[in-house]
Amino acid sequence: MNENNQLCTQDKLMQAAIDLISAKGYDGVSTREIAAEAGLSEKTLFRHFGSKQNLLEKAYDRYLYAAEMQKLFKEKLTGNLHEDLLMISRTYHKVMDRNRKLVIISIQVGDHLPGFRDYSESHPRQFREVLTNYFKYMSDQGKLVTKDPSLTAVAFMWMNLGAFLNTTHAVQTFTDIEMDAFIEESVRLFTRALTP
């Protein structure tokens, strides 16, 4: 089996798991159902992933934002604080929206699966690290003022996470503000606060 076919098989299984678990809950779906939804055998699921939890963890790694955000920080940032923060926020929301079902699953099952909470927190930890390093770099260049780059990174992350969660069924939506308007205004405020 070549690598593309294997990837296709794994993607089918991961997508089937995400769709079914988001509809029925983690405990409401069997590995047999996931495999059937993907048009594959349960044996194939176990050969590729070993367990339902491992399948969910691999889906989390494949589709969530750590790799995409790291690439953004390495290749696309300009050194202009306002432009960079807009790009970071827009990319974050694009990835989170695209993977809405998976994010909701991780919120729902995070404390119920042994080790999953720690596993799922790897993406925010990596995001915090690259964002903290960015804020340190910008501060060293005299383009940003912050007493604690790590705390500044967390504030920026929580601002964006809160906005995303407000668009999900996991919390009660209390505003009708468009996401792009929110991103523009919050980045404007953040940039103004951090600019020397």
Side-chain angles (χ1 to χ4, degrees):
M1 176 180 271
N2 72 36
E3 190 175 317
N4 287 338
N5 286 343
Q6 186 175 11
L7 188 58
C8 184
T9 297
Q10 289 178 353
D11 283 339
K12 285 180 185 177
L13 289 164
M14 287 187 276
Q15 285 300 320
I18 292 166
D19 289 343
L20 288 172
I21 293 170
S22 69
K24 298 180 176 185
Y26 182 83
D27 292 329
V29 178
S30 70
T31 53
R32 182 172 292 174
E33 288 176 277
I34 293 169
E37 179 73 15
L40 300 163
S41 70
E42 189 177 27
K43 183 178 178 182
T44 300
L45 184 151
F46 285 116
R47 186 172 64 244
H48 284 274
F49 298 103
S51 70
K52 183 168 58 169
Q53 182 171 340
N54 193 46
L55 168 57
L56 185 58
E57 289 173 355
K58 296 300 181 199
Y60 201 82
D61 274 348
R62 176 137 173 81
Y63 297 115
L64 271 189
Y65 58 76
E68 195 163 342
M69 293 308 278
Q70 287 181 0
K71 183 176 181 179
L72 172 82
F73 278 81
K74 285 180 185 173
E75 299 174 6
K76 297 185 179 180
L77 297 186
T78 65
N80 177 298
L81 183 64
H82 185 259
E83 289 176 15
D84 289 350
L85 294 181
L86 276 176
M87 192 179 327
I88 293 164
S89 284
R90 287 181 174 142
T91 302
Y92 174 86
H93 285 284
K94 179 184 77 172
V95 173
M96 293 292 277
D97 191 54
R98 182 176 65 218
N99 297 296
R100 179 174 299 275
K101 289 179 183 178
L102 190 55
V103 173
I104 300 302
I105 291 168
S106 71
I107 292 168
Q108 293 170 343
V109 305
D111 292 328
H112 305 294
L113 293 177
F116 188 76
R117 172 70 64 203
D118 288 337
Y119 190 87
S120 66
E121 288 176 356
S122 67
H123 285 262
R125 278 193 302 267
Q126 290 175 53
F127 184 26
R128 179 182 180 180
E129 182 180 336
V130 294
L131 191 55
T132 297
N133 289 339
Y134 170 77
F135 287 144
K136 282 180 187 173
Y137 171 80
M138 292 294 281
S139 180
D140 291 346
Q141 298 298 308
K143 296 180 179 182
L144 179 149
V145 176
T146 179
K147 290 181 182 178
D148 185 341
S150 182
L151 185 58
T152 303
V154 170
F156 189 77
M157 291 171 64
W158 283 357
M159 173 183 70
N160 282 287
L161 177 61
F164 169 75
L165 289 176
N166 192 57
T167 67
T168 68
H169 297 296
V171 297
Q172 182 68 34
T173 300
F174 62 89
T175 182
D176 60 355
I177 295 171
E178 294 289 324
M179 184 57 73
D180 201 53
F182 164 78
I183 291 170
E184 289 277 348
E185 180 64 6
S186 62
V187 166
R188 185 188 69 76
L189 292 170
F190 221 85
T191 302
R192 185 173 179 188
L194 295 176
T195 300

